[in-house]
Amino acid sequence: MLDELSAIQSDALAAIKSVDSESSLEEFRIHYLGKKGRLTAAAAGMRDVSKEDKRAVGQKLNEVRNTITGLIDERSSELAALKDAEAVADIDPTLPSRSLPQGAGHPLSQMLNRAVDTLHHLGFAIAEGPEIETEWHCFDALNTPADHPARNEKDTFYFDSGKLLRTHTSSVQVRTMEGADAPPVRIIAPGSAFRRDEIDATHSISFTQLEGLYVDREVTLADLKGTLEYFFHSIFGADTELRFRPHFFPFTEPSFEIDIKLHAAGKASRWIEIAGCGMVDPAVFEAINSSREDDLFSPDNVSGFAFGLGIDRLAMIKHGIPDLRLFSENDLRFLRQFA
Ligand code: PHE
C-alpha cells in the first residue's frame, strides 16, 4: 500500500509537467482525485490495512493528497498568469497614452461666472425669475405704462395668453421685492432676455443679462457708482476709464448709461455703452407696496439702486469679438480659443 501511494505521487509529479491547459488540468485532477481516481481508489484500500500499519499508511495518504492538491493549485495559477500575459502581449505599455479631449466653458458662461463671483464678493445673492413673464412684472410694476414703446408688439414676443418673453431681467427686481420678508434686499439675477430685433453682428433676439438690485435705508448714488466702478475695474482692469452718462429708464430716477473707454490696437479709442443703471424710482416702490399690501418698501424709508449688464457685450469687449452670432454658432474653431 505504501509503495502504491509512492507510485501515485511520483506519477503525479511527472504527469503535471505535461499539463498545459485548463482542460488537461481538470483531466489530471479527475485522474487522481476524482470519484474513480487513483488516490480515491487507494484510500478505499485503507479498510484492508492492518491495525498497526493504519497510522503510517494514513499519514502517507494525506501527504500524497496534499502534494497533488498543491500541484493542481500551483499549475492553475501558472496557467492563469500565462493567459494574462498572452492577453497583453500585443500591447506596448511604454507608448504614451492617447490624450482625452478636454472641454471648457463657453465664453459667455466664463464671463457670467466671473461677473457673478465678483458681485458675490460684495454680498449680492443670486435671485431667479421666469423667462415667460407677466406684463405686470416686466412693465407695469416697473413704471412702464401701456403706451410705452418697449411694450410694442414689434419689440416684444407676446403669447396669446398675454404673457411675454421677458425683455429684460428687471422683472426679477419686482419678484424679489414682492417675495422678500422686508428690506434690505441685495440681489443679482443673471439670465436670458428676449427682444424682437433684426439679427446682425450686434443684435440678437436673445441675450444674457445680469440684473442687480440693492434696497436698504439710505442707499445713495455714491453706493451705485462705487459698486459698479469696483465691478468694471475687476473685470477690465484697474485703470479702465468709466463714465456715467445721464439717460432715461422708466424704473430708475436718476438714470445713467455707463460707458467704458475702449482702446483697440491701431484705432482711435472710443466710449462704448456697457450697462444701464439708476436709483430705484419711487413709483416702483409704490407698485411693490400695492402688490404686497403693506408699506415695508415705502420710498419714505428705503432707497435703492439697480443696474443691468449685457453679458454678451462684456465678453465681446473683453475678448475683442466683433460678431455676436459667433456665440451661438457652435463653431469649435471659435470656442476652442477660450479653452
Ligand atoms: N433693464 C434695462 C435694460 O434692459 C437696464 C437697467 C436695469 C437699467 C436696471 C436701469 C436699472 O436696458
Side-chain angles (χ1 to χ4, degrees):
M1 178 80 181
L2 283 174
D3 291 346
E4 163 73 358
L5 289 172
S6 293
I8 293 175
Q9 176 156 325
S10 54
D11 284 355
L13 283 166
I16 197 76
K17 296 204 176 100
S18 51
V19 168
D20 58 358
S21 68
E22 275 171 26
S23 61
S24 58
L25 183 62
E26 179 61 4
E27 277 167 29
F28 175 92
R29 191 189 65 77
I30 292 168
H31 182 75
Y32 290 96
L33 305 178
K35 265 191 201 144
K36 295 178 182 157
R38 283 178 67 184
L39 198 66
T40 321
M46 280 295 278
R47 270 185 259 118
D48 309 324
V49 174
S50 66
K51 231 185 178 174
E52 40 295 7
D53 290 342
K54 256 207 168 94
R55 196 179 135 89
V57 174
Q59 258 173 16
K60 182 70 178 170
L61 184 68
N62 275 340
E63 182 195 316
V64 175
R65 181 178 289 118
N66 288 340
T67 305
I68 293 177
T69 318
L71 287 176
I72 292 173
D73 287 350
E74 201 181 315
R75 199 76 187 129
S76 167
S77 50
E78 281 169 10
L79 287 171
L82 216 63
K83 211 168 151 188
D84 287 350
E86 266 168 33
V88 297
D90 294 337
I91 296 173
D92 179 354
T94 66
L95 283 177
S97 60
R98 226 172 283 167
S99 64
L100 292 172
Q102 254 203 323
H106 188 281
L108 283 181
S109 310
Q110 290 184 21
M111 179 52 82
L112 185 62
N113 290 341
R114 199 160 156 192
V116 168
D117 279 353
T118 307
L119 291 159
H120 223 152
H121 284 148
L122 292 178
F124 287 86
I126 296 214
E128 285 182 321
E131 292 177 353
I132 296 176
E133 256 306 357
T134 61
E135 290 196 89
W136 164 258
H137 290 98
C138 203
F139 297 130
D140 296 294
L142 289 165
N143 195 31
T144 308
D147 59 356
H148 191 279
R151 298 182 67 151
N152 201 303
E153 296 226 352
K154 286 215 303 291
D155 298 316
T156 303
F157 292 106
Y158 283 95
F159 294 93
D160 291 342
S161 64
K163 285 195 174 181
L164 48 86
L165 289 178
R166 67 180 178 197
T167 54
H168 50 191
T169 43
S170 302
S171 52
V172 187
Q173 288 186 34
V174 178
R175 288 191 175 268
T176 305
M177 288 190 277
E178 280 177 343
D181 287 340
V185 165
R186 184 159 50 192
I187 55 104
I188 46 176
S192 295
F194 308 85
R195 286 177 202 173
R196 282 177 89 144
D197 247 328
E198 290 295 331
I199 296 173
D200 64 22
T202 54
H203 295 87
S204 167
I205 54 164
S206 111
F207 50 99
T208 308
Q209 271 195 330
L210 186 141
E211 190 80 13
L213 173 70
Y214 177 32
V215 177
D216 202 345
R217 287 178 182 278
E218 293 172 20
V219 176
T220 69
L221 192 55
D223 297 317
L224 166 63
K225 284 191 81 175
T227 302
L228 290 177
E229 272 170 12
Y230 170 81
F231 175 78
F232 286 115
H233 287 160
S234 342
I235 301 282
F236 292 113
D239 48 4
T240 306
E241 280 181 80
L242 292 182
R243 88 180 166 190
F244 287 70
R245 182 169 37 77
H247 194 72
F248 173 80
F249 295 105
F251 34 91
T252 47
E253 179 58 34
S255 302
F256 304 90
E257 276 189 337
I258 303 170
D259 301 330
I260 73 164
K261 195 147 195 191
L262 210 62
H263 307 275
K267 283 189 200 152
S269 50
R270 63 195 166 100
W271 290 103
I272 154 155
E273 181 225 318
I274 194 154
C277 64
M279 301 305 292
V280 178
D281 193 302
V284 174
F285 288 135
E286 304 286 8
I288 298 295
N289 285 335
S290 77
S291 160
R292 292 173 60 98
E293 298 177 2
D294 63 22
D295 63 353
L296 287 175
F297 282 84
S298 161
D300 297 335
N301 298 324
V302 295
S303 56
F305 68 71
F307 58 88
L309 314 168
I311 296 295
D312 310 61
R313 180 65 74 89
L314 293 190
M316 285 172 87
I317 292 171
K318 177 86 187 165
H319 302 296
I321 297 166
D323 192 326
L324 192 61
R325 290 167 289 196
L326 287 162
F327 288 135
S328 50
E329 281 169 352
N330 270 345
D331 186 333
L332 288 177
R333 291 168 302 178
F334 170 72
L335 295 174
R336 282 205 180 104
Q337 298 177 62
F338 306 94

